[in-house]
């Protein structure tokens, strides 16, 4: 019974909601709203495109620098580590040990004639 | 469908004329649905325009023209839902110090110059609005689509992308809450 009353209430509600006719400015207002939103987003769009282009350009520039001036091709001042390495290898080359040669290996020396 | 699938395809390809034709074909139906969903004739046109703005910017996401109508209904439901939530927030901030009865009196006082039948209709809409406050905005919309708009469960399934059984349960619960509020209001003599 209550369910029927509720159904009837819904029906009356449907009848109570007027059929809304679109106003004369419905379409112009709609296009105005579409354009307004488009211009709002286009600001972000343009900014985004510029930012992406600039980022891509910087990446390319860094990549080119990396390729053309790879370590070794560039004559830069030696770093502290480079200097240490150079010093170390110089020490090693300066170090020499006396070589004792075995007697058999000695060349035969002619004895002086008496 | 009220328009040919080719027209939808053209609108998807950013054809302004085709989009205009779609709006002209559907605007009256959408205005009617929104009017019943939100129950406020003065705001219907604004909400309907919001639906079509959203349609304009989301047409490229439409998979096939065959699902256009459920898609449009979905946009309508979302726009109505956003409006109801906004209205609830506004009402809470403006009228938090007024009782329900005072709000209804304020509304009816504003309509003194209206015709008797118009006032009766307005009172009924306000009464239904007070009943719908016993359910969430989502349930209000679901209930109106089913009970007032007359959509079938299958159509609702397409709009909500939810199984029929889940919809049935939700509808039943919402209906029971509204019925309980209706009984309480009847006993109190509100209508």
């Amino acid at each position: 019974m209550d369910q029927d009353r509720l159904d009837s209430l819904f029906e009356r509600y449907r009848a109570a909601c007027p059929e809304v006719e679109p106003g004369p400015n419905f379409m112009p207002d709609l296009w105005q709203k579409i354009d307004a939103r488009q211009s709002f987003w286009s600001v972000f769009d343009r900014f985004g495109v510029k930012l992406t282009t600039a980022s891509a350009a910087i990446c390319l520039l860094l990549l080119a620098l990396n390729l053309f001036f790879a370590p070794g091709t560039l004559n830069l001042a030696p770093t502290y580590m480079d200097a240490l390495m150079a010093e170390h290898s110089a020490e090693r080359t300066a170090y020499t040990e006396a070589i004792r040669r075995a007697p058999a290996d000695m060349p035969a020396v002619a004895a002086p004639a008496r | 469908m009220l328009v040919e699938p080719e027209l939808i395809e053209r609108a998807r390809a950013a054809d302004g004329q085709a989009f205009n034709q779609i709006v002209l074909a559907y605007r009256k139906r959408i205005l009617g649905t929104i009017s019943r969903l939100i129950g406020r004739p003065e705001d219907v046109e604004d909400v309907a325009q919001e639906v079509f703005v959203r349609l304009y910017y989301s047409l490229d996401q439409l998979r096939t023209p065959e699902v256009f109508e459920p898609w449009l209904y979905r946009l309508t439901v979302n726009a109505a839902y956003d409006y109801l939530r906004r209205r609830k927030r506004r009402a809470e901030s403006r009228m938090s110090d007024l009782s329900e009865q005072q709000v209804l009196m304020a509304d009816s006082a504003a309509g003194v110059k209206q015709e008797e039948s118009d006032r009766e209709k307005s009172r009924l809409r306000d009464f239904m609005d007070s009943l719908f406050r016993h359910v969430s905005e989502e349930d209000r919309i679901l209930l109106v689509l089913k009970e007032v708009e007359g959509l079938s469960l299958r159509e609702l399934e397409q709009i909500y992308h939810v199984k029929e059984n889940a919809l049935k349960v939700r509808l039943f619960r919402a209906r029971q809450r509204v019925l309980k509020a209706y009984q309480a209001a009847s006993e109190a003599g509100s209508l």
Side-chain angles (χ1 to χ4, degrees):
Chain A
M1 192 67 178
D2 281 339
Q3 297 288 349
D4 293 342
R5 278 181 64 211
L6 188 60
D7 284 337
S8 132
L9 187 67
F10 280 134
E11 269 175 42
R12 282 164 55 206
Y13 176 64
R14 188 187 163 85
C17 291
E19 285 298 320
V20 182
E21 288 293 327
N25 289 327
F26 186 88
M27 294 306 281
D29 285 352
L30 172 64
W31 279 107
Q32 212 172 355
K33 284 180 182 178
I34 289 172
D35 290 341
R37 207 161 294 186
Q38 202 156 29
S39 59
F40 175 77
W41 285 112
S42 68
V43 170
F44 287 99
D45 262 8
R46 266 179 283 162
F47 180 71
V49 167
K50 278 181 185 167
L51 196 70
T52 313
T53 313
S55 306
I58 290 169
C59 282
L60 282 173
L61 187 70
L62 288 173
L63 187 73
L65 282 173
N66 227 7
L67 285 175
F68 289 117
F69 302 107
T73 59
L74 197 64
N75 193 15
L76 294 171
T79 62
Y80 176 69
M81 288 304 289
D82 291 336
L84 268 184
M85 290 285 284
E87 188 74 14
H88 183 64
S89 54
E91 274 172 17
R92 282 183 75 84
T93 47
Y95 176 75
T96 50
E97 195 175 340
I99 301 166
R100 178 185 277 177
R101 301 176 76 177
D105 293 339
M106 297 282 276
V109 179
R114 292 209 178 178
Chain B
M1 280 219 292
L2 296 179
V3 292
E4 294 296 316
E6 290 75 34
L7 194 67
I8 297 168
E9 286 292 354
R10 275 173 48 209
R12 280 178 69 191
D15 182 337
Q17 278 300 320
F19 180 76
N20 253 348
Q21 281 178 266
I22 292 174
V23 176
L24 290 173
Y26 277 97
R27 67 177 177 179
K28 205 168 171 189
R29 187 193 277 191
I30 296 301
L31 283 165
T33 302
I34 292 169
S35 156
R36 291 179 282 274
L37 286 175
I38 69 173
R40 288 267 173 250
E42 62 274 21
D43 294 330
V44 169
E45 202 164 293
D46 263 352
V47 181
Q49 282 170 343
E50 177 60 26
V51 171
F52 288 115
V53 170
R54 289 182 189 188
L55 176 71
Y56 183 84
Y57 285 107
S58 63
L59 260 180
D60 56 336
Q61 293 165 28
L62 186 71
R63 280 175 288 120
T64 59
E66 284 71 39
V67 293
F68 175 74
E69 283 193 351
W71 177 271
L72 186 58
Y73 255 109
R74 202 175 166 79
L75 293 176
T76 307
V77 165
N78 286 338
Y81 175 63
D82 291 343
Y83 168 85
L84 289 171
R85 269 197 313 181
R86 272 202 313 272
R87 197 177 72 182
K88 193 178 176 184
R89 275 205 301 272
R90 274 206 305 265
E92 275 168 5
S93 60
R94 272 190 306 158
M95 295 196 173
S96 53
D97 51 343
L98 295 178
S99 70
E100 186 66 24
Q101 196 58 37
Q102 283 171 308
V103 172
L104 288 175
M105 278 169 66
D107 275 0
S108 60
V112 163
K113 288 179 185 172
Q114 284 182 315
E115 292 294 319
E116 185 59 36
S117 67
D118 282 354
R119 259 190 291 162
E120 183 58 35
K121 283 178 181 175
S122 173
R123 213 163 69 85
L124 180 62
R125 285 199 301 270
D126 288 338
F127 177 68
M128 282 305 287
D129 216 24
S130 70
L131 292 186
F132 285 137
R133 277 180 211 147
H134 291 84
V135 294
S136 65
E137 282 83 13
E138 294 99 321
D139 285 350
R140 170 192 176 137
I141 290 171
L142 183 63
L143 210 52
V144 172
L145 288 177
K146 176 75 177 69
E147 307 292 352
V148 183
E149 284 292 293
L151 295 189
S152 67
L153 283 168
R154 192 176 169 73
E155 285 168 314
L156 289 173
E157 208 179 22
Q158 280 184 313
I159 296 166
Y160 282 89
H161 298 160
V162 173
K163 293 271 175 225
E164 199 179 304
N165 279 342
L167 284 172
K168 272 185 192 170
V169 171
R170 193 155 186 175
L171 273 166
F172 176 78
R173 285 183 186 155
R175 210 185 139 95
Q176 287 306 107
R177 279 199 202 105
V178 171
L179 182 61
K180 205 173 158 186
Y182 182 31
Q183 285 165 339
S186 299
E187 282 164 22
S190 293
L191 194 79

